[in-house]
Amino acid sequence: MEFQDVVRRRRMVRNYASDPVDPAIVDRALHNATRAPNAGFSQGWAFLVLDTPADVRAFWEATADDIDHPDEWLTGMMRAPVVILPCSSKAAYLRRYAEPDKGWTDQDETRWPKPFWDMDAAMAALLIMQTATDAGLASCFIGVPPEREAAVRETFGIPADFDPVGVVTIGHHPADPSDHGAAGSPSRRRRKAVEDVVHRGRWGHSASPSV
């Protein structure tokens, strides 16, 4: 698929067909994720892959209220055969920037104006989703409910120095073509025009560039 097609076609899919996903596509997505930008080449990320029915069910048991009586959203999401949790390690970044080539002698978190560890893991997650789109698959990015994070950690043995930044579900598009997405999706909510969000030279100046 051409890159512009990947960008255009990627969307959040919350309802999946139950067909299995080719493991080679998942491996490709994970390989691509490790090519994401990361500050100082810290590589402070890890990816928890759940791709068996038992592990996927264990994830939803840890994060949902009642998977035996799911609502419409949960029913559609639970059909995704692959669940990936991108995790970030703040400690890895703090250690990396205390190394001689970076010039800092301490691991003071206040040196960081933004949590680059989370941002880099999120960019890796986007590459996973783009790879899925390129392969003709559907995906979605959601968060781990804060009150359920401890259960997720315990269920899957996530170490204390790694934090889940979200959840990527991967599967096949639903067989029902009438599925038009959630109320807030681009199919039901107008996408802002580029000139409304791009400011050139000064905020409020949105003149279109020459093409």
Side-chain angles (χ1 to χ4, degrees), residues 126-139:
L126 178 58
L127 285 177
I128 291 174
M129 299 173 69
Q130 288 183 319
T131 304
T133 300
D134 184 55
L137 297 174
S139 64

Side-chain angles (χ1 to χ4, degrees), residues 94 97-98 102-114 116-117:
L94 299 184
Y97 275 77
K102 288 301 180 185
W104 295 349
T105 58
D106 57 56
Q107 299 184 32
D108 186 356
E109 185 181 347
T110 61
R111 293 183 180 275
W112 294 81
K114 302 293 181 184
F116 272 70
W117 38 90

Side-chain angles (χ1 to χ4, degrees), residues 3-77:
F3 178 71
Q4 286 302 128
D5 289 334
V6 172
V7 173
R8 179 174 55 84
R9 294 184 183 184
R10 190 219 54 79
R11 66 186 182 94
M12 298 293 196
V13 175
R14 300 169 179 83
N15 183 26
Y16 297 88
S18 57
D19 304 304
V21 166
D22 183 351
I25 297 174
V26 177
D27 290 343
R28 188 188 315 150
L30 295 166
H31 174 80
N32 289 347
T34 65
R35 307 292 296 189
N38 55 108
F41 202 44
S42 301
Q43 304 178 85
W45 48 38
F47 306 90
L48 175 63
V49 182
L50 309 175
D51 56 2
T52 68
D55 284 343
V56 171
R57 180 178 176 85
F59 170 78
W60 294 114
E61 286 178 339
T63 56
D65 291 330
D66 186 359
I67 67 171
D68 292 321
H69 302 88
D71 58 17
E72 182 179 359
W73 180 89
L74 185 57
T75 297
M77 292 293 282

